[in-house]
Amino acid sequence: MPTWPGEKEFEKALATLKSRSGSKINAVAKMGVKYAKYYKFVVHAVERWCKKCKPPVKVVAVYVIDAICRHSRKEFKEKDMYVDRFARKLENSFASLIDCPEEDLDSIARVVGVWTTRKIFPPEVITPIRSMIIEQNPDVTGLDGEPKKKRKRHDEKKKPPPSSLSRKKGVVDPAVALRPPPMDVPAGAAAASARTPSSATNAATNDDQKSITQTPPAAAANFLEPEPNKRRT
């Protein structure tokens, strides 16, 4: 038998958190605000889940604590009860939460860094947690609340686009070098060529005209041969 009205619903929502799904994390946080009257039971359920969840989900548990506190502070302002309730056993919870993959420890440290800069939890609560994280990995980043840095892959080099090769001085793009040079044709000549028929067309027309006006062979022979002189009588 559940000890509080939303126990089964809330624990079921926690069990579905397997990845960093923002929608599911916010749904759990809103559920915590919904059952704020039973905040002690909500915090206890989250603390139990933090201890038994698998290492890849530890970072998600930190996000859940952060989301519940943020939503509650936004909804209830100074009357929020979740921050003080989580603060009571937050150090014990983080003793199991830092048992996570190395790549997730930076994400957890960033949340703790935001809590430090925004003074969500008092120094006596945050300081031991920061020490635990540094002891886990002295090279951890994010405890100062700085944004996540994108890691650059050294094996990837930026390649300039092919068109940019021709812009560099002394470098000719092969595609541009093999391209035939454009012919300079005056604008007036291009327009005239469009109106004037080609030479082949002119030749064909002249031949047709010659064939029409050509003298028959017999008449041509008579014309070319001079007539013999007639004797005078």
Side-chain angles (χ1 to χ4, degrees):
M1 183 176 179
T3 55
W4 54 287
E7 182 178 1
K8 289 186 177 181
E9 180 185 6
F10 189 76
E11 290 181 352
K12 183 179 179 180
L14 290 175
T16 59
L17 293 174
K18 303 295 183 181
S19 62
R20 308 184 191 189
S21 174
S23 59
K24 291 184 178 181
I25 293 173
N26 286 329
V28 172
K30 292 178 181 179
M31 202 176 300
V33 174
K34 176 182 176 182
Y35 295 107
K37 182 179 179 180
Y38 308 96
Y39 70 94
K40 293 181 181 180
F41 296 101
V42 172
V43 172
H44 183 62
V46 173
E47 290 172 347
R48 285 187 302 166
W49 176 63
C50 289
K51 291 181 180 180
K52 67 180 183 180
C53 66
K54 295 181 179 181
V57 190
K58 298 293 186 181
V59 63
V60 182
V62 176
Y63 290 161
V64 168
I65 296 174
D66 177 67
I68 292 176
C69 292
R70 285 189 293 102
H71 280 72
S72 180
R73 286 167 64 91
K74 182 178 179 180
E75 181 71 21
F76 304 110
K77 303 296 189 294
E78 294 82 5
K79 296 182 180 180
D80 165 61
M81 300 295 295
Y82 278 109
V83 172
D84 292 340
R85 193 68 185 182
F86 273 117
R88 293 173 68 252
K89 296 183 179 181
L90 194 61
E91 184 179 352
N92 294 336
S93 297
F94 265 83
S96 61
L97 290 175
I98 61 175
D99 184 19
C100 64
E102 183 178 355
E103 59 270 17
D104 291 341
L105 191 62
D106 288 345
S107 300
I108 293 176
R110 276 189 293 275
V111 177
V112 176
V114 172
W115 289 347
T116 304
T117 55
R118 298 184 181 181
K119 300 180 180 181
I120 304 299
F121 295 97
E124 57 270 19
V125 175
I126 288 294
T127 302
I129 295 175
R130 292 172 62 93
S131 300
M132 291 168 56
I133 295 175
I134 295 174
E135 184 178 355
Q136 184 81 358
N137 183 7
D139 297 328
V140 69
T141 60
L143 282 176
D144 294 330
E146 68 265 18
K148 184 178 180 180
K149 297 180 180 179
K150 294 183 179 180
R151 297 180 180 179
K152 295 182 179 179
R153 295 180 60 181
H154 297 286
D155 56 342
E156 291 184 355
K157 295 182 179 180
K158 293 184 178 179
K159 296 181 179 180
S163 60
S164 64
L165 293 173
S166 59
R167 299 174 185 173
K168 294 182 179 180
K169 187 176 182 181
V171 180
V172 180
D173 186 358
V176 177
L178 296 176
R179 189 182 305 165
M183 298 179 64
D184 295 334
V185 180
S193 62
R195 296 192 299 268
T196 306
S198 62
S199 59
T201 306
N202 293 337
T205 304
N206 294 335
D207 292 342
D208 293 342
Q209 292 177 353
K210 288 180 181 180
S211 62
I212 295 173
T213 59
Q214 186 176 7
T215 309
N222 296 334
F223 178 78
L224 294 175
E225 293 180 2
E227 294 182 0
N229 297 328
K230 294 181 179 181
R231 294 180 179 179
R232 297 180 180 178
T233 55

